[in-house]
Amino acid sequence: MSAQLFSVNTVAFKCLKTLQDCSTRGFSIGAASLGSVNLKGRSCLTLKDFSSDEIRRLLWVSGDLKHRIKHEKQYLPLLQGKSMAMIFEKRSTRTRMSTETGFALLGGHPCFLTSQDIHLGVNESGTDTARVLSGLCDIVLARVYSHSTLEELDKEASIPIINGLSDFYHPIQILADFLTLQEHYGSLSGLTVSWIGDGNNVLHSFMMTAPKLGVNLKIATPKGYEPERSVIQEAQRLSKEHGTQLVLTSDPMEAAHGSNVLVTDTWVSMGQEEEKKKRLKDFKGYQITMQTGSVAKPDWTFLHCLPRKMEEVDDEVFYSSRSLVFPEAENRKWTIMGLMVSLLTDYTPQIPMQKF
């Protein structure tokens, strides 16, 4: 598929000044703007529902908590006396560890529920489950197969619902990705991110978020593996609104050209195991290597939400100094903490914002 350039308008982006710690750099767009944002009581099913200011606020809170807890060694029991239900239809290392340890670190009590503990829509309807949990805990994180399950929970619950992953979106991963890039580059505005791989839930979340942060997005997927049409249309609208570029192609090298960040993900998601042989064939030529990076910008870096397979990215890139995958994995903890604190409290970050 030939490249489609939906918006070629460029804007002059201003760089952010450095804050006290690199983990909190560049989130400000004016104290009055971000300081007035309050997300208490909201759910987070997709970042499509969050404005630019709201997403920046989440990153600011996350960076602030990381600075105060990790670097300043402060104890912040912001969620003391609160409990969380963690519903996992799909297994995960990073989502479980980051959420469970993060909630506990903030003084709360997480309760992990597998499909053996809770049968959404089987032994009990989603409606009844949402209403029961609303009386037993303060917030729910659900990692599910179908996004409609989250929508049902959110409709019937009286407490915030967080999408820990669904077939359509993975918002908590994208928050970690952008915090990682913020820390590394100092500013997000004007960066170009290139996605090379499957048109999946992680990509959908990138598409709903990148334009709002002033980030250009170039996407290479094999024919037949493109993002959902509805997501493309919304991403087109957002790119036009925010003056960023959105490019779709089937050529990985075209997508990588002039990029700051190369990103990929698994080619075979959970539930797609029977398609593995066909998918590996269809994705031939999509492995990210140093050759892929040779057409990117000199400062290019690499992201992968993990777990990683060799066919997606070779060892030379994955274990190189350009790879940010392990800081990215750690930031899953700080960003889910930032999200939970934002949805449950009126917390205001303590590290002051710098103006442009």
Side-chain angles (χ1 to χ4, degrees):
M1 176 171 64
S2 60
Q4 304 173 55
L5 184 59
F6 294 114
S7 174
V8 294
N9 297 325
T10 57
V11 296
F13 295 108
K14 296 180 180 180
C15 295
L16 297 166
K17 295 181 180 180
T18 303
L19 287 176
Q20 296 177 15
D21 181 78
C22 65
S23 65
T24 57
R25 290 182 300 175
F27 302 126
S28 67
I29 50 175
S33 180
L34 288 190
S36 63
V37 173
N38 190 310
L39 300 173
K40 187 177 180 180
R42 290 271 298 273
S43 288
C44 180
L45 305 191
T46 166
L47 292 173
K48 175 183 177 181
D49 300 333
F50 287 68
S51 68
S52 297
D53 283 13
E54 290 169 341
I55 296 171
R56 292 180 187 275
R57 169 79 182 203
L58 290 172
L59 294 176
W60 180 35
V61 173
S62 301
D64 176 83
L65 292 176
K66 182 176 183 179
H67 174 78
R68 295 186 68 190
I69 297 172
K70 180 178 181 178
H71 299 292
E72 296 288 335
K73 308 300 182 184
Q74 297 181 27
Y75 175 55
L76 301 176
L78 301 172
L79 302 182
Q80 187 170 7
K82 298 188 182 298
S83 59
M84 162 180 269
M86 299 170 55
I87 301 173
F88 275 55
E89 292 184 342
K90 304 176 75 171
R91 66 186 183 274
S92 171
T93 299
R94 282 149 294 279
T95 302
R96 179 176 180 182
M97 285 297 297
S98 61
T99 305
E100 195 164 340
T101 61
F103 201 76
L105 184 59
L106 292 165
H109 178 78
C111 185
F112 183 70
L113 302 169
T114 70
S115 57
Q116 301 301 312
D117 304 301
I118 186 170
H119 297 84
L120 281 174
V122 180
N123 289 344
E124 188 170 35
S125 68
T127 295
D128 292 355
T129 298
R131 295 181 182 183
V132 168
L133 292 178
S134 293
L136 297 175
C137 61
D138 300 281
I139 191 169
V140 173
L141 179 139
R143 184 177 171 90
V144 299
Y145 284 99
S146 175
H147 194 74
S148 62
T149 300
L150 291 166
E151 293 174 331
E152 182 180 13
L153 288 172
D154 187 49
K155 178 182 177 182
E156 300 296 337
S158 58
I159 57 176
I161 306 295
I162 295 177
N163 178 0
L165 174 142
S166 72
D167 58 345
F168 216 71
Y169 293 115
H170 197 359
I172 59 176
Q173 177 63 55
I174 297 309
L175 290 174
D177 289 357
F178 279 119
L179 179 62
T180 305
L181 295 179
Q182 180 69 61
E183 291 175 340
H184 183 80
Y185 289 102
S187 176
L188 295 173
S189 293
L191 291 180
T192 297
V193 171
S194 294
W195 177 275
I196 299 174
D198 192 16
N200 63 13
N201 51 358
V202 179
L203 175 57
H204 287 170
S205 287
F206 260 118
M207 294 170 73
M208 294 299 96
T209 310
K212 298 174 184 177
L213 298 175
V215 175
N216 304 306
L217 192 56
K218 302 171 74 175
I219 299 165
T221 58
K223 293 180 180 179
Y225 295 91
E226 297 88 355
E228 290 289 333
R229 173 52 56 180
S230 62
V231 177
I232 293 176
Q233 292 172 344
E234 177 63 11
Q236 290 177 338
R237 187 191 70 78
L238 289 171
S239 294
K240 182 177 180 180
E241 177 183 345
H242 295 280
T244 61
Q245 292 183 346
L246 175 66
V247 176
L248 296 178
T249 181
S250 59
D251 183 350
M253 297 301 285
E254 181 180 2
H257 188 268
S259 175
N260 301 100
V261 188
L262 304 181
V263 191
T264 193
D265 187 12
T266 181
W267 298 345
V268 185
S269 298
M270 281 182 273
Q272 298 175 334
E273 288 79 8
E274 293 183 1
E275 305 173 28
K276 181 175 181 179
K277 185 175 181 180
K278 181 178 186 301
R279 281 176 167 267
L280 291 180
K281 178 181 178 182
D282 292 344
F283 281 84
K284 185 178 181 180
Y286 275 73
Q287 184 190 49
I288 294 181
T289 65
M290 286 298 180
Q291 181 179 357
T292 316
S294 68
V295 298
K297 290 187 177 179
D299 65 347
W300 71 271
T301 54
F302 173 75
L303 294 177
H304 192 303
C305 66
L306 305 177
R308 160 257 187 177
K309 302 293 188 299
M310 178 70 80
E311 61 265 19
E312 300 150 5
V313 54
D314 67 8
D315 281 350
E316 187 178 9
V317 170
F318 188 77
Y319 292 111
S320 73
S321 60
R322 296 183 180 276
S323 177
L324 303 178
V325 295
F326 297 112
E328 176 188 13
E330 179 193 340
N331 279 336
R332 287 290 305 275
K333 179 173 183 173
W334 302 111
T335 47
I336 192 61
M337 289 168 66
L339 179 59
M340 294 184 298
V341 165
S342 296
L343 302 185
L344 288 174
T345 76
D346 294 310
Y347 178 75
T348 298
Q350 300 303 299
I351 299 224
M353 293 182 294
Q354 298 285 342
K355 294 184 179 181
F356 288 114

